[in-house]
Amino acid sequence: MEERGTTERVLTLLGLLQQRQVWTGPELADRLGVTPRTVRRDVERLRTLGYSVHAAQGVGGGYQLGQGQDLPPLLLDDEEAISTAVALLVGAGNAVTSADAALRALTKLDRVLPARLQHEVRALTGAVESFGGGRAAVDAEALMTLARACRDEVQAAFTYPSRNAVHARRVEPYRLVASDHRWYLFGYDLDRDDWRTFRVDRMTEVSARTWRFQPRSAPDAAAYVQEGVASRVYPHRARFLVHASADTVRAKFSSSAAVVRERGTDRCEVISGADTGVDAVLVRVLLLGHPFEVLEPPELRTRCHTLGQLLVAAGSTMPDEPR
């Protein structure tokens, strides 16, 4: 019981230090119901745990929580925990900068958030909206459900549109991946027996199941999702070798428009796709303004010759003056 009392007192001390800039020793002793000597011992316990606590003597002096070299655990009261969770949910669901980091932080907070606070978090999140921004808004609770399923390694279920119909899907969820515009779930589709990528904004009836799974050997989630978004989903795909650095070319494409891979310091491979035909992809690469070669499909090389002749003719012919 004595050890538990000490732990509770040290946590209370930490909460007090987070509430105000400076506390005197007698003030802390009075709030904790202990002697100033016990306060000094508890301050040392906090320092051992990684918290930087400064102590100054004289008028205006006292104990002050400072910045440490590492990030120690934070102590939040109910109101602070609710506000933090709401901010993270809104950030993850509504295209705020570093939304993937917001979701990771929210997943950690979710482990320790008391059940009595969760309904307040959901209610407040539903009252917040945003406008503008690039990433498509998703249901925050669905996103959190999928994040929990990834964390706990349990199957997820949802309905998803495919070929003009909506089907029930069962997956082993591995990662949530944020692109420039959307959230994607990367997982193993149990009915298709293969890896799949799903847009979270297209999901409905999202739930975490009770069946746990043993993680499989998986491809890199971010690379798999990006390649799928930029090329695999399109009926027409092409690869190019561009004579420019990967960083230079990436600056000209959004991550969802093309996959750019390094091929040395001054060359890179570009993979992209289009719905209407490879001409659309060819024009994108042409407008980069760097020399390039077609790697595939082979028929695109013939198309380059045809279009090149048209461009040369267009640039060398003077139009008739209107009468």
PDB file of all heavy atoms in Angstrom, residues 66-80:
ATOM      1  N   GLY A  66      10.827  21.431 -16.693  1.00  0.00           N
ATOM      2  CA  GLY A  66      11.556  21.907 -17.867  1.00  0.00           C
ATOM      3  C   GLY A  66      11.503  20.921 -19.016  1.00  0.00           C
ATOM      4  O   GLY A  66      10.842  19.874 -18.945  1.00  0.00           O
ATOM      5  N   GLN A  67      12.202  21.260 -20.090  1.00  0.00           N
ATOM      6  CA  GLN A  67      12.273  20.400 -21.263  1.00  0.00           C
ATOM      7  C   GLN A  67      13.432  19.437 -21.121  1.00  0.00           C
ATOM      8  O   GLN A  67      14.543  19.837 -20.799  1.00  0.00           O
ATOM      9  CB  GLN A  67      12.449  21.235 -22.534  1.00  0.00           C
ATOM     10  CG  GLN A  67      11.254  22.118 -22.857  1.00  0.00           C
ATOM     11  CD  GLN A  67      11.476  22.935 -24.107  1.00  0.00           C
ATOM     12  OE1 GLN A  67      12.585  23.367 -24.389  1.00  0.00           O
ATOM     13  NE2 GLN A  67      10.415  23.149 -24.868  1.00  0.00           N
ATOM     14  N   GLY A  68      13.178  18.167 -21.377  1.00  0.00           N
ATOM     15  CA  GLY A  68      14.216  17.148 -21.285  1.00  0.00           C
ATOM     16  C   GLY A  68      14.754  16.762 -22.643  1.00  0.00           C
ATOM     17  O   GLY A  68      14.310  17.256 -23.683  1.00  0.00           O
ATOM     18  N   GLN A  69      15.711  15.847 -22.664  1.00  0.00           N
ATOM     19  CA  GLN A  69      16.283  15.373 -23.925  1.00  0.00           C
ATOM     20  C   GLN A  69      15.356  14.385 -24.623  1.00  0.00           C
ATOM     21  O   GLN A  69      15.328  14.312 -25.838  1.00  0.00           O
ATOM     22  CB  GLN A  69      17.639  14.710 -23.658  1.00  0.00           C
ATOM     23  CG  GLN A  69      18.699  15.691 -23.178  1.00  0.00           C
ATOM     24  CD  GLN A  69      20.041  15.007 -22.962  1.00  0.00           C
ATOM     25  OE1 GLN A  69      20.103  13.798 -22.808  1.00  0.00           O
ATOM     26  NE2 GLN A  69      21.102  15.792 -22.952  1.00  0.00           N
ATOM     27  N   ASP A  70      14.587  13.626 -23.850  1.00  0.00           N
ATOM     28  CA  ASP A  70      13.644  12.668 -24.399  1.00  0.00           C
ATOM     29  C   ASP A  70      12.235  13.083 -24.018  1.00  0.00           C
ATOM     30  O   ASP A  70      12.026  13.858 -23.075  1.00  0.00           O
ATOM     31  CB  ASP A  70      13.928  11.255 -23.877  1.00  0.00           C
ATOM     32  CG  ASP A  70      15.321  10.790 -24.267  1.00  0.00           C
ATOM     33  OD1 ASP A  70      15.678  10.949 -25.445  1.00  0.00           O
ATOM     34  OD2 ASP A  70      16.031  10.283 -23.387  1.00  0.00           O
ATOM     35  N   LEU A  71      11.251  12.563 -24.767  1.00  0.00           N
ATOM     36  CA  LEU A  71       9.855  12.868 -24.478  1.00  0.00           C
ATOM     37  C   LEU A  71       9.318  11.865 -23.466  1.00  0.00           C
ATOM     38  O   LEU A  71       9.101  10.701 -23.798  1.00  0.00           O
ATOM     39  CB  LEU A  71       9.018  12.812 -25.760  1.00  0.00           C
ATOM     40  CG  LEU A  71       7.533  13.140 -25.616  1.00  0.00           C
ATOM     41  CD1 LEU A  71       7.348  14.590 -25.197  1.00  0.00           C
ATOM     42  CD2 LEU A  71       6.795  12.862 -26.916  1.00  0.00           C
ATOM     43  N   PRO A  72       9.088  12.281 -22.218  1.00  0.00           N
ATOM     44  CA  PRO A  72       8.550  11.358 -21.215  1.00  0.00           C
ATOM     45  C   PRO A  72       7.034  11.265 -21.351  1.00  0.00           C
ATOM     46  O   PRO A  72       6.413  12.030 -22.090  1.00  0.00           O
ATOM     47  CB  PRO A  72       8.937  12.038 -19.891  1.00  0.00           C
ATOM     48  CG  PRO A  72       8.943  13.494 -20.223  1.00  0.00           C
ATOM     49  CD  PRO A  72       9.377  13.609 -21.658  1.00  0.00           C
ATOM     50  N   PRO A  73       6.399  10.326 -20.630  1.00  0.00           N
ATOM     51  CA  PRO A  73       4.937  10.225 -20.687  1.00  0.00           C
ATOM     52  C   PRO A  73       4.264  11.501 -20.184  1.00  0.00           C
ATOM     53  O   PRO A  73       4.782  12.187 -19.300  1.00  0.00           O
ATOM     54  CB  PRO A  73       4.625   9.048 -19.761  1.00  0.00           C
ATOM     55  CG  PRO A  73       5.901   8.290 -19.656  1.00  0.00           C
ATOM     56  CD  PRO A  73       7.002   9.300 -19.780  1.00  0.00           C
ATOM     57  N   LEU A  74       3.124  11.841 -20.783  1.00  0.00           N
ATOM     58  CA  LEU A  74       2.360  13.003 -20.360  1.00  0.00           C
ATOM     59  C   LEU A  74       1.228  12.560 -19.454  1.00  0.00           C
ATOM     60  O   LEU A  74       0.663  11.480 -19.613  1.00  0.00           O
ATOM     61  CB  LEU A  74       1.781  13.741 -21.575  1.00  0.00           C
ATOM     62  CG  LEU A  74       2.794  14.326 -22.553  1.00  0.00           C
ATOM     63  CD1 LEU A  74       2.062  14.949 -23.736  1.00  0.00           C
ATOM     64  CD2 LEU A  74       3.671  15.352 -21.879  1.00  0.00           C
ATOM     65  N   LEU A  75       0.877  13.419 -18.514  1.00  0.00           N
ATOM     66  CA  LEU A  75      -0.238  13.136 -17.619  1.00  0.00           C
ATOM     67  C   LEU A  75      -1.359  14.100 -17.967  1.00  0.00           C
ATOM     68  O   LEU A  75      -1.199  15.310 -17.876  1.00  0.00           O
ATOM     69  CB  LEU A  75       0.191  13.321 -16.154  1.00  0.00           C
ATOM     70  CG  LEU A  75      -0.849  12.975 -15.099  1.00  0.00           C
ATOM     71  CD1 LEU A  75      -1.155  11.487 -15.137  1.00  0.00           C
ATOM     72  CD2 LEU A  75      -0.362  13.382 -13.716  1.00  0.00           C
ATOM     73  N   LEU A  76      -2.516  13.570 -18.425  1.00  0.00           N
ATOM     74  CA  LEU A  76      -3.636  14.395 -18.856  1.00  0.00           C
ATOM     75  C   LEU A  76      -4.827  14.161 -17.942  1.00  0.00           C
ATOM     76  O   LEU A  76      -5.126  13.023 -17.576  1.00  0.00           O
ATOM     77  CB  LEU A  76      -4.037  14.060 -20.296  1.00  0.00           C
ATOM     78  CG  LEU A  76      -2.941  14.160 -21.369  1.00  0.00           C
ATOM     79  CD1 LEU A  76      -3.491  13.683 -22.702  1.00  0.00           C
ATOM     80  CD2 LEU A  76      -2.422  15.580 -21.474  1.00  0.00           C
ATOM     81  N   ASP A  77      -5.528  15.257 -17.591  1.00  0.00           N
ATOM     82  CA  ASP A  77      -6.788  15.072 -16.893  1.00  0.00           C
ATOM     83  C   ASP A  77      -7.879  14.766 -17.917  1.00  0.00           C
ATOM     84  O   ASP A  77      -7.626  14.725 -19.123  1.00  0.00           O
ATOM     85  CB  ASP A  77      -7.138  16.290 -16.033  1.00  0.00           C
ATOM     86  CG  ASP A  77      -7.277  17.574 -16.856  1.00  0.00           C
ATOM     87  OD1 ASP A  77      -7.620  17.499 -18.060  1.00  0.00           O
ATOM     88  OD2 ASP A  77      -7.060  18.661 -16.286  1.00  0.00           O
ATOM     89  N   ASP A  78      -9.117  14.519 -17.444  1.00  0.00           N
ATOM     90  CA  ASP A  78     -10.192  14.101 -18.360  1.00  0.00           C
ATOM     91  C   ASP A  78     -10.423  15.109 -19.470  1.00  0.00           C
ATOM     92  O   ASP A  78     -10.546  14.754 -20.651  1.00  0.00           O
ATOM     93  CB  ASP A  78     -11.494  13.895 -17.569  1.00  0.00           C
ATOM     94  CG  ASP A  78     -11.472  12.622 -16.734  1.00  0.00           C
ATOM     95  OD1 ASP A  78     -10.419  11.938 -16.742  1.00  0.00           O
ATOM     96  OD2 ASP A  78     -12.482  12.325 -16.073  1.00  0.00           O
ATOM     97  N   GLU A  79     -10.511  16.385 -19.119  1.00  0.00           N
ATOM     98  CA  GLU A  79     -10.790  17.421 -20.115  1.00  0.00           C
ATOM     99  C   GLU A  79      -9.675  17.508 -21.152  1.00  0.00           C
ATOM    100  O   GLU A  79      -9.921  17.628 -22.356  1.00  0.00           O
ATOM    101  CB  GLU A  79     -10.975  18.766 -19.420  1.00  0.00           C
ATOM    102  CG  GLU A  79     -11.370  19.894 -20.366  1.00  0.00           C
ATOM    103  CD  GLU A  79     -11.598  21.202 -19.637  1.00  0.00           C
ATOM    104  OE1 GLU A  79     -11.686  21.189 -18.387  1.00  0.00           O
ATOM    105  OE2 GLU A  79     -11.698  22.241 -20.312  1.00  0.00           O
ATOM    106  N   GLU A  80      -8.430  17.419 -20.689  1.00  0.00           N
ATOM    107  CA  GLU A  80      -7.291  17.477 -21.621  1.00  0.00           C
ATOM    108  C   GLU A  80      -7.254  16.251 -22.525  1.00  0.00           C
ATOM    109  O   GLU A  80      -6.950  16.363 -23.721  1.00  0.00           O
ATOM    110  CB  GLU A  80      -5.985  17.586 -20.823  1.00  0.00           C
ATOM    111  CG  GLU A  80      -5.818  18.904 -20.092  1.00  0.00           C
ATOM    112  CD  GLU A  80      -4.692  18.862 -19.078  1.00  0.00           C
ATOM    113  OE1 GLU A  80      -4.296  17.748 -18.674  1.00  0.00           O
ATOM    114  OE2 GLU A  80      -4.205  19.934 -18.685  1.00  0.00           O
TER     115      GLU A  80
END
